[in-house]
Amino acid sequence: MAPSLHPIVDNGIVQGDDSFPGGTLQCYCTNNPVQVKVGKNVVQNHACGCTKCWKPQGSLFSIVGAVPRTLVEVTANANKLYVLDASMPVQRNVCKECGVHMFGRIEEDHPFKGFDFVHVELSSDKGWQAPFYASYVSSIIESGFHPAGMDDVRSRLKALGWETFDVTPPQMSDRIATWRAQRSGALPTPLPA
Amino acid sequence: MAPSLHPIVDNGIVQGDDSFPGGTLQCYCTNNPVQVKVGKNVVQNHACGCTKCWKPQGSLFSIVGAVPRTLVEVTANANKLYVLDASMPVQRNVCKECGVHMFGRIEEDHPFKGFDFVHVELSSDKGWQAPFYASYVSSIIESGFHPAGMDDVRSRLKALGWETFDVTPPQMSDRIATWRAQRSGALPTPLPA
């Protein structure tokens, strides 16, 4: 049996709603679940194969999107959240009881600072942007996936009409490279017109 | 005027010869040039946008291919070579007079250890494998290329029939991930059948 990419990918992608105003994420806890209000639809929703993103048990990929951090608010049981690894650029805020990652936040200087990363499958609200590409695909091997299965995985992702990347998509990679170039002095800030 | 990708790309790709037995690379020095005999055609010849690979002045990309290190031999003026940065995984052996990189060699544990990286444009012999894809494309920004030009650069590379990657091609990325997984213990060595 083919391994699960992710339940919401395996079961057929449901398109989002452009007018969706955001919704509420909830952790897995039956008692006193952490709730996080996200005041806008996500952008750049995608499958991520990195070893750090939270994914449901048995899935090869995480589904993760971005939203301005100013629109992310913990509305219940904030006391159950802790930062999984404060040394990572993206600080995953995790429920200490069920282990679900409620949002990832960047505090250090970083090309994507200002965005939080969230998993919209934690919401029962309908209309979230559908995932539309896959990043860090080769990284699933680093979580123990046998490399002999990679052709099958990439084929299944491409069958969705998706592009697959072993890092981020080109526009994101360019943003990261620009940020690095401006820090190193290879490019000025702001960029010339 | 569009910036140069690389002279041998700009001027039209010349296909290689499958029976080509290898040849001799020579540095730019008029006097006592370093010569390196490469006893086989290269594989994985490609354009690389990374900030470390040697490239001719004015070019955005390096053209670099791989060959087993046992088939690379310095045949003249070896005393002019030094290792540019011994802390890098790929140690670039550079002519101290003209600055040309004659070969890159890996001494540490690394997924590509055993291969040397060479620039076949340093050879007047004909038949070297033609480059056929581009890696580390977004990295040209880190050398100071304006990000507004990236769409044009990727379009020109794709017009050659090439795929473009911001790291290595998928098969290479998978090899690197497998190597990492085996070092971390996420996968056993050897891999299960």
Side-chain angles (χ1 to χ4, degrees), chain B residues 1 4 9 11 31 64 66 77 81 101 104 110 115 126 145 159-160 165:
Chain B
M1 205 180 95
S4 170
V9 175
N11 298 333
N31 297 316
V64 61
N77 298 302
L81 289 177
H101 296 199
H110 188 281
F115 285 96
K126 302 299 174 197
F145 184 70
L160 299 168
F165 307 101

Side-chain angles (χ1 to χ4, degrees), chain B:
Chain B
M1 205 180 95
S4 170
L5 300 176
H6 186 285
I8 71 173
V9 175
D10 301 339
N11 298 333
I13 302 291
V14 176
Q15 291 310 310
D17 174 357
D18 287 345
S19 64
F20 180 68
T24 297
L25 315 178
Q26 183 168 311
C27 77
Y28 279 1
C29 289
T30 311
N31 297 316
N32 305 315
V34 181
Q35 292 189 328
V36 173
K37 188 181 164 197
V38 178
K40 195 180 180 182
N41 208 339
V42 292
V43 294
Q44 295 290 331
N45 204 20
H46 66 285
C48 181
C50 89
T51 59
K52 301 297 180 187
C53 273
W54 175 80
K55 43 188 84 75
Q57 199 171 8
S59 294
L60 291 172
F61 289 87
S62 168
I63 300 292
V64 61
V67 70
R69 62 185 279 170
T70 52
L71 299 178
V72 174
E73 184 190 356
V74 183
T75 50
N77 298 302
N79 61 309
K80 294 170 72 172
L81 289 177
Y82 74 104
V83 173
L84 184 60
D85 182 350
S87 74
M88 294 293 297
V90 179
Q91 299 190 351
R92 275 83 178 178
N93 284 260
V94 175
C95 174
K96 65 184 176 189
E97 289 181 12
C98 69
V100 165
H101 296 199
M102 298 306 294
F103 60 95
R105 179 163 289 178
I106 299 169
E107 300 293 356
E108 65 184 44
D109 189 27
H110 188 281
F112 300 140
K113 186 172 183 178
F115 285 96
D116 280 357
F117 299 96
V118 295
H119 309 288
V120 300
E121 69 206 74
L122 299 174
S123 172
S124 57
D125 301 309
K126 302 299 174 197
W128 296 104
Q129 183 187 54
F132 62 101
Y133 64 86
S135 67
Y136 292 98
V137 173
S138 64
S139 299
I140 65 172
I141 295 170
E142 294 184 59
S143 296
F145 184 70
H146 197 301
M150 292 304 292
D151 283 352
D152 172 58
V153 165
R154 288 195 178 89
S155 295
R156 287 163 64 198
L157 293 167
K158 286 175 179 168
L160 299 168
W162 290 8
E163 288 191 278
T164 66
F165 307 101
D166 294 323
V167 279
T168 56
Q171 294 77 3
M172 298 287 157
S173 298
D174 290 355
R175 274 183 67 169
I176 295 167
T178 302
W179 179 87
R180 287 184 182 149
Q182 291 180 317
R183 263 84 198 152
S184 76
L187 282 173
T189 307
L191 291 171

Side-chain angles (χ1 to χ4, degrees), chain A residues 14-192:
Chain A
V14 176
Q15 292 310 310
D17 174 356
D18 286 345
S19 64
F20 181 69
T24 297
L25 315 178
Q26 183 168 311
C27 77
Y28 280 2
C29 288
T30 312
N31 297 315
N32 305 315
V34 181
Q35 292 189 327
V36 173
K37 188 180 164 201
V38 178
K40 193 179 181 182
N41 208 338
V42 293
V43 295
Q44 295 290 331
N45 204 18
H46 66 285
C48 181
C50 89
T51 59
K52 303 295 180 187
C53 274
W54 175 80
K55 43 189 83 74
Q57 200 170 7
S59 294
L60 292 173
F61 289 87
S62 167
I63 299 291
V64 62
V67 70
R69 63 184 280 169
T70 52
L71 300 177
V72 174
E73 184 190 357
V74 183
T75 51
N77 298 301
N79 61 310
K80 294 172 71 172
L81 288 177
Y82 75 103
V83 173
L84 185 60
D85 182 351
S87 74
M88 293 293 298
V90 180
Q91 298 190 352
R92 275 84 178 177
N93 285 260
V94 175
C95 174
K96 65 186 176 189
E97 289 182 12
C98 69
V100 164
H101 297 200
M102 297 307 293
F103 60 95
R105 180 163 288 177
I106 298 168
E107 299 293 357
E108 65 185 45
D109 188 27
H110 188 281
F112 301 140
K113 186 171 184 177
F115 286 96
D116 280 358
F117 300 96
V118 296
H119 309 287
V120 299
E121 69 206 74
L122 299 174
S123 172
S124 58
D125 302 308
K126 303 297 174 199
W128 296 104
Q129 183 188 54
F132 63 100
Y133 64 86
S135 67
Y136 292 99
V137 174
S138 63
S139 299
I140 65 173
I141 296 170
E142 293 184 60
S143 296
F145 184 70
H146 197 301
M150 293 304 292
D151 283 352
D152 173 58
V153 165
R154 288 194 178 89
S155 294
R156 287 162 66 198
L157 293 166
K158 286 176 179 169
L160 300 166
W162 291 8
E163 287 190 278
T164 66
F165 307 102
D166 295 323
V167 280
T168 56
Q171 294 77 3
M172 298 288 160
S173 298
D174 289 355
R175 274 183 67 169
I176 296 168
T178 301
W179 179 86
R180 286 184 183 150
Q182 290 179 319
R183 264 83 197 152
S184 76
L187 281 172
T189 306
L191 291 171

